[in-house]
Structures are given as structure tokens and as C-alpha cells.
Amino acid sequence: MTFIHSNAISLGVFLTCLFTVFLSSGSSVEAVNFLSIHLGNVQSSGYVVMQPLFNYSLEAQARHYPRLFQNYTYEAKVRRESPHCGPPGVEASLGLMADIIGEKKSFPEAAALTVLFVPLCGPSFAVFAEFARELDMLAVSCTAVDGSVRKKDRFPSSISLATADSEPYGAALLALMRYYGWRSIAIISDQLGGSTRANRNVEQCRAPLEQLYERRSEFEFHNIITDSYKESFTRALIEATNFSRIILSCTLGEAQRRAMADAFDLKMMTGDYIIIHLFENETPGEPPLSWQRNDDLDVKVRSAFQHLLVLGSPPINWDEFEETSRLMHQRRDNMFGPTTTPDEVLLSP
């Protein structure tokens, strides 16, 4: 996943550093060709969101540093009907990369570097990172990817600018378990009705699940699937307590309040159980996790939150990104229109 407000800052800094290094190092690189890769149009990282981000960042840096950015090209490669993740996404990535290789104009000249912007999930990004290594290109991800893509021995020419990265939270969870000597944990994975927020929640809990699996000789874990759009958390909580007194709750916002209210009703607030919640993927305008909503759950949740351990980052001051956000939304509206749907979008590099 990706949040365009903060990623624009990361991307701008990266672009400036990239050009400065080439200019000051005596590199023979005289121009940089940027290609952005877009498969499908998912809400968080599709071309309608990401293509204006790349346009805005490149043009903003070119205005601030005209000498550095005097020789660059940018082209968007879009397959709007393609899957972006999973095995179908990998297949689509291979097909698109084959097309890029087949187009001579997409290859760098002798004195040019090609940079691939790839806002795709880990396995799909890995396809472009593999080709980047062999073709002396640079592959850049600005969405969260799994740890395997960060292995520099395999992907020496790839870099991640993701601001929503779940890997450290998996490491923090395991460190916490080791510190207190916990050897088992139950994970409640909320499907959130298959909504667009479900992808965000899956990513939020991906790293802990992957890292627990990698260390399954050290820790026992049990992943419990539920859907807060279809049922309460009662069944999942009962199943979790039958496995461990340590419970990781993978859900978002208001659903976490309901989970804690259900835990209160099950009398899990006696001190026997510890519920852990991850809160790392904050979005603009999203209120912090709080027991108080001035509703009938407040009393239960206030008591239950005393037994909730939150692993999260410091809150983000989104006001700092307000002007950047406004300019990028304006650019998106200029490119695609303010009310267009993906099928109505006129693609423009």
C-alpha cells in the first residue's frame, strides 16, 4: 500500500539524490529515462493515484533543480485490466516487461540510465527487480513489499521508498514475545468484507505472519480467519483463547473497538489475556485508535483498552502535507478528471 502525500516527499528526495550523485561522481550517465509500471487500478496504488504522483514529483524537482533535471524522460506503461498481485500479477508483470524489452525506445542509450517506478506488491515487483539487475536498470518501489525483495545479494539494483512498511512491526512483535518469554500467539485476521480496506489490513498483518512462520520452531501460532462485516469477534476470540493467552488482532479502526467490546463480554479482562493491535498504516484524516466514540460501547471499550497493547508509529502530522496533497490532487484531476471512473480514464504519460 501507499499514501501519496508522504510518498511524494520520499520520491522527491530520492530523485534529487539520484541526480546529484551522478552529477558529482563524474558518472558517464548523461540522461535518465523513467518508466512507471501500472497493472490494474487498485485504489491505493493504481495508475490514477500513482501516475500523477510521478508526474508531479519529476516536474517539481525539475523546477527546483533545472541543471540536475535537464535531461530526463518519463513514460507510463499501463495495463489497466491486468491483475497486479499474486500469481496472475507475476504473469502480467512478465508480459509487460517482455513488451518493454521489445520496444527499443524503452531501452537506455549508452549514456542513459533507465529507472523503473514499480508500485506493485512484492512478487510482482520482484519480476521487474530481476530484470533490472540483468539489464543495468534501477527498480524503485514506493509501496510496501516483503522482506525477500530487500535482499541486496539478489536485488542489488532495487530500492524501496515505501512509507507504509510492516516489516519492522513483525520484528517488534517477535522481540516482544522473546522479552516476555511468550512462546505461542493466536492471530485474528479480519477479512473486512473483502472491501478495499481489506488489502490494507492484509498488508498490516503480513510481516508478523511471515516472520512467525519463518520462526515456527521457536514460536507456535494459530491464524484465525474472521469477517467483521459478517459476524462478531466472539467466535474468533473463543478460538484464540483456546490456543494462547497472547492474541494479535489484525483489523482496523472501529472494528478493533468492537473486538475489544466482545472481549469484555467474554470476561477476558481479568488479566489472563493480552491483546496486541498493530497500528502502523495511518491514512490522512484517520482518527487515532481511541476507546471514546460517544456510543454504547464506550464503557466496555474503555475498560478493555486497559488490556490492549498497541504496536504503532508516532502519529503523522498530515497538515505538513496539505499543500503537496492539494497540488497532486489537482494534477490528478487535470489528467483524469475529478469524477472519472477507471474505465473512463484517458491515459496520458
Side-chain angles (χ1 to χ4, degrees), residues 33-38 73-77 103 105-106 349:
N33 303 320
F34 294 98
L35 299 178
S36 62
I37 307 300
H38 308 277
T73 64
Y74 169 62
E75 183 179 0
K77 298 291 186 179
E103 298 175 7
K105 66 177 182 178
S106 295

Side-chain angles (χ1 to χ4, degrees), residues 83-95 123-124 127:
H84 75 287
C85 210
V90 170
E91 184 176 350
S93 298
L94 287 167
S124 298
V127 171

